[in-house]
Amino acid sequence: MPQMASPLLLLLLLLPLAAATAPCAHPAYPSQPASCAAEPALAPERRETHGGGRILDITHYYREDMPSWESSAGVGQFLWLPASMRNGSLANNSEMRMPTHTGTHVDAPGHVFQHYFDAGFDVDTLDLDVLNGPALLVDVPRDQNITAKTMESLHIPKGVQRVLFRTLNTDRNLMWKKEFDTSYVGFMKDGAQWLVDNTDIKLVGIDYLSVAAFDDLIPSHLVFLENRDVILVEGLKLENVKPGIYSLHCLPLRLRGAEGSPIRCILIK
């Protein structure tokens, strides 16, 4: 008759198996199996398209070496981790500090009009109906800023309310360069005025930190934002996107009192 293994022997045999299959514990609990340290490294998938290529992310991810207005040093550090599980905290909690007009962002009327700022025309007052809907992506002639003549040459049909302007900025990869470049392409005042006077466009998107050319920075902004019916989305990521009609979806943060905000924008084919 075979001998039965003692309970103590069975316990010793099962302990390694239990440790190998136990989940990694939260550090707040006393016992964390050594097997956790031996798990294979996790690698998240970073995607620029979703849904089999149907959804295109046209928002730049934030990074320390992305350009910052009139800076040669880039954005710099913008994330901190004051509470860390590695240092004994019960959870990881980050803090973020950066200008509101960083990366892909939106301008509110209070950006260049003090009386609008004082009256509260901030990013929380922007019309989400304008920020979401059919949009036209167009390629702008590469050898010039956007003037009245340029706008006329694009032949944008009446009724189009949202237009994303892809320029030489995308070809030059300016949003991928740390140093701010004053030679970026943008709207001259007469181009902004032609758009306001001759089109139905209510959303203007562009592929660098300002829709306005550096030489006409404030005048162009004033034309666009004076009547509070045009929304400016700046710093878009438009490479590898074909010209044409898309469904645009942009959502800024609800920052009451702020004249600008980071914004997440996608195109859906």
Side-chain angles (χ1 to χ4, degrees):
M1 178 175 174
Q3 292 186 339
M4 297 293 293
S6 70
L8 178 59
L9 179 59
L10 286 173
L11 180 62
L12 292 173
L13 290 172
L14 291 174
L15 274 176
L17 178 62
T21 58
C24 290
H26 189 283
Y29 295 92
S31 58
Q32 175 138 339
S35 62
C36 290
E39 284 188 350
L42 298 175
E45 181 183 3
R46 306 287 186 184
R47 291 176 289 178
E48 301 302 317
T49 64
H50 302 257
R54 188 176 62 91
I55 301 172
L56 311 174
D57 196 334
I58 57 171
T59 310
H60 279 278
Y61 68 85
Y62 286 84
R63 61 188 197 279
E64 293 186 4
D65 64 348
M66 75 187 318
S68 184
W69 190 260
E70 290 191 303
S71 170
S72 61
V75 172
Q77 184 176 1
F78 59 92
L79 279 179
W80 286 260
L81 190 62
S84 167
M85 293 173 68
R86 289 191 179 278
N87 295 331
S89 298
L90 296 182
N92 295 314
N93 283 285
S94 300
E95 290 183 359
M96 181 172 65
R97 294 194 294 273
M98 64 182 179
T100 56
H101 298 267
T102 300
T104 307
H105 67 277
V106 65
D107 289 353
H111 184 36
V112 291
F113 286 96
Q114 186 62 46
H115 65 288
Y116 287 160
F117 185 89
D118 294 340
F121 288 97
D122 53 29
V123 292
D124 192 42
T125 66
L126 297 177
D127 190 347
L128 294 184
D129 191 48
V130 174
L131 285 161
N132 295 268
L136 174 66
L137 171 63
V138 298
D139 275 315
V140 174
R142 296 305 202 246
D143 57 348
Q144 58 188 346
N145 281 311
I146 304 174
T147 62
K149 182 178 179 181
T150 306
M151 282 300 306
E152 191 171 6
S153 73
L154 293 174
H155 303 293
I156 296 171
K158 280 283 190 179
V160 173
Q161 293 188 316
R162 304 166 193 85
V163 179
L164 310 181
F165 294 86
R166 180 164 55 193
T167 73
L168 187 63
N169 303 330
T170 293
D171 298 350
R172 296 175 62 197
N173 295 313
L174 291 190
M175 284 297 295
W176 297 101
K177 296 178 180 179
K178 180 171 67 174
E179 186 170 357
F180 178 74
D181 193 326
T182 61
S183 69
Y184 67 87
V185 171
F187 276 84
M188 301 299 288
K189 180 183 178 181
D190 69 319
Q193 194 66 61
W194 197 96
L195 181 149
V196 169
D197 293 342
N198 297 282
T199 76
D200 298 316
I201 297 171
K202 301 303 178 186
L203 182 145
V204 176
I206 205 163
D207 49 1
Y208 199 56
L209 294 175
S210 173
V211 300
F214 193 76
D215 291 338
D216 256 358
L217 185 63
I218 298 303
S220 295
H221 272 92
L222 293 175
V223 170
F224 279 132
L225 298 176
E226 182 176 13
N227 295 324
R228 307 195 310 273
D229 58 354
V230 175
I231 298 178
L232 307 179
V233 181
E234 300 164 327
L236 290 168
K237 182 173 67 66
L238 299 179
E239 59 258 31
N240 303 317
V241 184
K242 294 180 179 180
I245 296 287
Y246 296 87
S247 180
L248 172 70
H249 300 277
C250 290
L251 293 175
L253 301 178
R254 296 191 68 177
L255 297 176
R256 290 199 173 185
E259 79 299 325
S261 168
I263 193 168
R264 186 68 178 266
C265 291
I266 64 170
L267 295 176
I268 300 179
K269 293 180 179 179

